[in-house]
Amino acid sequence: MKVLLVEDDALLQSGIKEALRRDGWFCEATATVREAKKWADATEYALILLDLGLPDGNGLEVLKHLRSQQKNLPPAVASREQETFVLGNAYALNYFSSAKYLMVRTI
């Protein structure tokens, strides 16, 4: 199964990719909102692992894009921000009405 990893920290991205590979997942990774949108449009993924603090924007832009494309790709969201802020904005995008999610807060 394919996973799209959107993470701009190269070391963290590498570690997550390796862990997923060892667990039998095929992982494609990018570090930008722009590429994440492009890849999500072109490929079917089972899951998106999404950082919110990206160099070219907020990861919520990716969720908004997925929603506009009517994709039900479940996200696992990682953020250093307050969970209530992140989830509140995601609900405002009406994303979670059609997708299950996992919220991960990094420390």
Side-chain angles (χ1 to χ4, degrees), residues 3-102:
V3 174
L4 176 58
L5 171 61
V6 186
E7 172 59 62
D8 62 322
D9 182 302
L11 186 59
L12 187 54
Q13 185 187 97
S14 176
I16 293 171
K17 281 178 66 174
E18 179 60 21
L20 288 168
R21 186 194 63 76
R22 286 183 183 178
D23 210 30
W25 292 82
F26 177 77
C27 180
E28 294 181 320
T30 183
T32 65
V33 168
R34 183 183 57 81
E35 286 184 351
K37 291 177 184 179
K38 180 179 164 184
W39 290 14
D41 286 345
T43 306
E44 289 294 320
Y45 295 99
L47 175 71
I48 183 170
L49 301 176
L50 181 62
D51 183 15
L52 296 182
L54 298 168
D56 64 336
N58 190 303
L60 289 175
E61 294 173 45
V62 177
L63 293 183
K64 184 177 180 180
H65 176 77
L66 291 171
R67 184 69 176 148
S68 74
Q69 300 299 311
Q70 299 181 348
K71 295 214 176 208
N72 287 327
L73 179 61
V77 178
S79 176
R80 290 188 177 120
E81 300 181 48
Q82 294 262 354
E83 290 91 339
T84 53
F85 169 78
V86 171
L87 293 177
N89 280 294
Y91 275 108
L93 296 174
N94 198 25
Y95 188 80
F96 295 127
S97 65
S98 63
K100 295 182 181 176
Y101 68 92
L102 171 65

